[in-house]
Structure formats: structure tokens, C-alpha cells
Amino acid sequence: MIYHDLVIIGGGPAGLAAAVSAKDNGIDDILVIEREKEPGGILNQCIHNGFGLHTFGEELTGPEYAARFIDQVLSRGIPCKKNTMVVDFSVADNQKVVTAMNREDGIFQISAGAVILAMGCRERPRGALNIPGFRPAGIFSAGTAQRLVNMEGFMPGREVVILGSGDIGLIMARRMTLEGAKVKVVAELMPYSGGLKRNIVQCLDDFGIPLKLSHTVIDIEGKERVEAVTIAQVDGNGRPVPGTEERYTCDTLLLSCGLIPENELSRSAGIHINPITSGPVVSDALETSAEGVFACGNVLHVHDLVDYVSQEAAAAGKNAARFLLKGKPEHAGRIIELVAENGIRYTVPSFLNPAEMDDTVTVRFRVDGVYRNHAITVCYDGKPTSRRKRPVMAPGEMEQVILHRKELALYPDLKQIAIRIEKA
């Protein structure tokens, strides 16, 4: 069995940034495993700009952003096994074993001192949406359509309806329009968009594409190819409201109905999963419930900006290096629980160890609805300690709170930190 100090599963933006960080923090024996023929992950098909403002201080396209990190990995001599699929990951008696396969090596196993999970996420499929109708050609996930147009050079269709207002769906509304298609409507089940505000403006408003909130597809017509779809308004329980039906003739339906972290490997290893994020439960070191196994990027929770993925991955790489060089601290110290309350859906991380944490820890989270003129309040054991006003908060945009080690040291008996939404 092959051995590596650090194995990183996934060569997308999270895996690449984690590898660079681990190398810079003293780990030389690193292996990145990537299932595609080239590293870079989803960024390779995201040819629009808007990436890198936080990380590099300039606007880059997805491939340009990925290329920056690929160059950093190559310049450090970090090997990347491409076209390699990880089929199993197990943790038993502190033995971490990765089982993978490719055409050259067949099936092989790698023993690792530490593992970083960076498998990213996938789109929610049509089967999970329960849309009635036939199963004709012309129904694509937005990400599949993006790959077809941007990488394969194929147009999925000419008359398009989009279900779901996630960022990929919004971006594909613009992309299909620029390629000559007619995007007739974007329907969103929720009463708010799931994408960034800037994408609503730049991808829909600038092109006159209507966005219908609290609407869903209730029928798909066509047997060989999509011929038309019917959308309707939904009530507070998500049920179609009779009399609100609208029929649109089209040859293509794109689905942009959410992203799901790729955690089949995490579950098979017995790692605890947060039911809200569908990602692993992690500490402030981004360590999962399995000792020496770390998680970062969209496999942990779905991000809106790749810059935040890179920041999180850099922290995971640094903490994995610390684990390999120093081992688990003998005295773990007290644990402070992080709790999401009153409008906050979840927090990442879920708990922290103030004795071992960095000088600052960024706690990221999403809200459960649209809040105007509200504040994010942080409470120590029920007592409010900080309050930050926000003019608008929405589920499509990630929020964050930064905790300071020096401040936590002033509360030696602190057991719980709650983050909640309150009226400003």
C-alpha cells in the first residue's frame, strides 16, 4: 500500500489552495487526486469574470483563477493524480485509507497521515424535484448546459425556460442570451432568489429577462423533445395556486435548483454530517469528527464566492500541516459550541477550542429569509456582546462573523456562542 503524509481528495479550487497552504506550512509529501483530466474543478467551465477580487485584487475568469492556483501547485512540485476516481475512504483505528482507480494503475489503495476532503458539490437532479410530465430531450441542469456551451461548443436549445434562480441558472440565462437563444422566464419556487444580487442585475435585469418568484414548473409537454412548460404561482406551502398557470413554448428547460455537497465518501467513513448543510460537522480547525480528516470548500457547505473557498482551504491546509507536524494536542481544553438561532440556518464551524484556535476564526453562515434593516447579534452564554447592522440579508449571500482569541480569553467559563438575527 502506498503512503503519503497528506492526501487531498479533489483538485478544484479548494483542493489546490489546500495543497499550496500545506506545502508552505512544512508538508512535502502531498498527493492531490482529481477525477477530471485537468485540475481546476467547476472553474474550468465558468468563463465569465467576477472571480478573484478578494484573493488577487483583480477580476478574473474562472479558468484564469484556477490557472493561478495550478501554477502555484506546479511551482511547488506537488503531484496531482488526474483522471483518478476515489471509490472509497475509510477511517479505522486512526488508519486513513483512500481507495482509488484509474486506467494506468487499476484499483489501488493509499494510506495517509491526514486527509483533506475537497470534493466540491453537485447539482440537485430533476428526480429530486418531482415535476410531472414526460421525460423528453431538452431538460438539462444549468451546470451541464454551461459545460456544453462553454467547453464542448454545443447549444442545448433556442427557446429556454429556467427553473430556479441559483447563481449558475442566472449566469446561464445571460450566457444563452448572448449565444442567440431566447430566455423566456426564470421561475423560482421560493419568495426570494437563491443567487447573488449582482447576478440578478447583470444577468436578468440587464437583458430584460423576467424573474417570477414563488413560481414553479407544474407540467412539461413533449415526448421526443420539450415543446412547452407550464408554470404556476405557489402558496406558502409550495402548492400551485389554481388559475395562475402560464404556458411557455420552448425547446429547453434548465434546472438550477440548488447544490448538494458531495459527501458519499464522508458518510462511508462514518464522519458526522450536518443535516442543514449536508457537509461534515467541523471544528475551528476545519477538522471533522474523524481525527486527522479535514474538510473545506463546497463539500463542507456551498459557498457563493470562490475567494472564500480559497481562504477556507488555506486554513484547512495549514491545520492539516499542524496536525501532521505536532499531532493532536494532549489536552484538548474546553470546547465552545457555536449555535445558530433566530434566522441563522447554520454555522461553520460548529464548535471551537479557544486554547488551540488561531488569533481569529471566521464563522460563516446563511440566513433563512430576506431581512431588511436587521442586525447580526453575537451572544456569549446568552449575553449579547456584539451587534452589526445589515441593510439587507438574503439566503443567496453568505454572511460572516470574526471571533478573536484574545476576546474569548476574557471569558474562561464560556460554553456557548449563539449567533442570531434581531431587528436593528
Side-chain angles (χ1 to χ4, degrees):
M1 186 183 297
I2 310 167
Y3 174 83
H4 289 283
D5 286 339
L6 177 61
V7 172
I8 299 173
I9 305 176
L16 296 173
V20 169
S21 176
K23 182 77 172 182
D24 291 349
N25 281 278
I27 304 302
D28 292 322
D29 185 13
I30 303 171
L31 177 65
V32 179
I33 301 177
E34 169 56 42
R35 67 184 176 189
E36 298 291 340
K37 62 182 180 180
E38 293 297 336
I42 197 68
L43 291 179
N44 290 330
Q45 69 185 52
C46 298
I47 65 173
H48 54 280
N49 62 359
F51 302 93
L53 285 170
H54 297 271
T55 305
F56 297 109
E58 58 180 311
E59 271 199 309
L60 303 171
T61 64
E64 288 173 333
Y65 187 96
R68 296 278 179 101
F69 276 100
I70 292 170
D71 289 344
Q72 291 181 34
V73 167
L74 292 175
S75 67
R76 288 162 174 78
I78 302 170
C80 178
K81 262 192 179 300
K82 296 174 282 190
N83 284 318
T84 301
M85 174 69 76
V86 175
V87 294
D88 189 45
F89 172 51
S90 62
V91 181
D93 300 325
N94 287 331
Q95 294 292 314
K96 291 167 274 292
V97 178
V98 176
T99 304
M101 63 183 293
N102 59 33
R103 288 183 178 181
E104 291 75 25
D105 305 308
I107 295 179
F108 59 95
Q109 289 188 316
I110 303 170
S111 175
V115 172
I116 296 178
L117 306 174
M119 294 87 74
C121 60
R122 67 176 185 271
E123 294 179 281
R124 184 171 281 111
R126 178 190 169 168
L129 303 178
N130 294 323
I131 303 171
F134 293 101
R135 298 293 185 266
I139 303 175
F140 303 87
S141 70
T144 299
Q146 186 180 55
R147 185 179 182 88
L148 287 172
V149 175
N150 293 347
M151 298 185 73
E152 310 295 340
F154 294 110
M155 272 293 283
R158 290 294 174 185
E159 292 187 301
V160 184
V161 170
I162 299 177
L163 174 60
S165 60
D167 286 315
I168 303 176
L170 298 175
I171 288 164
M172 282 310 295
R174 175 179 63 184
R175 189 76 182 97
M176 295 292 283
T177 302
L178 292 173
E179 287 296 330
K182 173 65 176 176
V183 179
K184 296 193 169 182
V185 68
V186 176
E188 169 57 57
L189 177 68
M190 305 303 289
Y192 50 79
S193 170
L196 294 169
K197 178 65 177 177
R198 73 182 190 196
N199 284 335
I200 297 172
V201 173
Q202 296 173 4
C203 300
L204 298 187
D205 295 352
D206 288 355
F207 292 90
I209 300 170
L211 171 63
K212 290 184 176 289
L213 301 175
S214 299
H215 280 71
T216 192
V217 172
I218 62 169
D219 189 32
I220 299 172
E221 299 176 32
K223 292 187 177 180
E224 299 299 323
R225 175 86 191 196
V226 174
E227 297 174 1
V229 301
T230 301
I231 70 170
Q233 188 175 344
V234 297
D235 59 22
N237 296 316
R239 297 191 185 95
V241 177
T244 63
E245 298 86 354
E246 296 176 69
R247 183 177 180 273
Y248 292 87
T249 57
C250 62
D251 59 17
T252 304
L253 174 65
L254 300 187
L255 305 176
S256 178
C257 302
L259 300 169
I260 306 168
E262 289 265 22
N263 272 298
E264 286 73 20
L265 293 174
S266 310
R267 290 187 178 91
S268 71
I271 290 169
H272 297 163
I273 300 295
N274 184 323
I276 304 297
T277 63
S278 296
V281 175
V282 295
S283 67
D284 57 287
L286 299 176
E287 188 174 19
T288 68
S289 59
E291 185 177 305
V293 179
F294 300 81
C296 59
N298 284 347
V299 79
L300 180 55
H301 59 135
V302 177
H303 293 63
D304 48 3
L305 297 179
V306 72
D307 302 79
Y308 293 159
V309 169
S310 299
Q311 291 172 16
E312 194 174 83
K318 182 177 74 171
N319 291 322
R322 181 190 298 168
F323 172 83
L324 287 167
L325 295 172
K326 298 181 179 179
K328 197 77 172 177
E330 291 184 12
H331 304 288
R334 65 190 173 104
I335 297 298
I336 300 176
E337 181 186 15
L338 287 164
V339 179
E341 294 182 347
N342 192 32
I344 306 295
R345 295 192 66 228
Y346 66 88
T347 67
V348 172
S350 297
F351 59 92
L352 53 86
N353 180 348
E356 298 293 329
M357 67 181 277
D358 290 332
D359 291 338
T360 61
V361 168
T362 301
V363 180
R364 293 195 168 100
F365 54 89
R366 290 184 188 269
V367 297
D368 64 3
V370 178
Y371 293 89
R372 300 183 185 278
N373 298 317
H374 279 65
I376 299 169
T377 302
V378 179
C379 301
Y380 289 0
D381 283 338
K383 180 182 178 182
T385 57
S386 68
R387 203 161 183 262
R388 179 164 59 94
K389 293 181 180 179
R390 298 282 282 116
V392 179
M393 290 180 282
E397 308 215 14
M398 192 176 290
E399 301 287 343
Q400 66 181 39
V401 164
I402 297 177
L403 301 177
H404 298 266
R405 180 175 180 172
K406 287 183 178 179
E407 183 181 349
L408 295 181
L410 302 176
Y411 299 84
D413 300 321
L414 181 61
K415 295 180 180 179
Q416 186 184 89
I417 297 175
I419 302 175
R420 62 175 68 141
I421 301 296
E422 295 180 344
K423 289 186 177 180

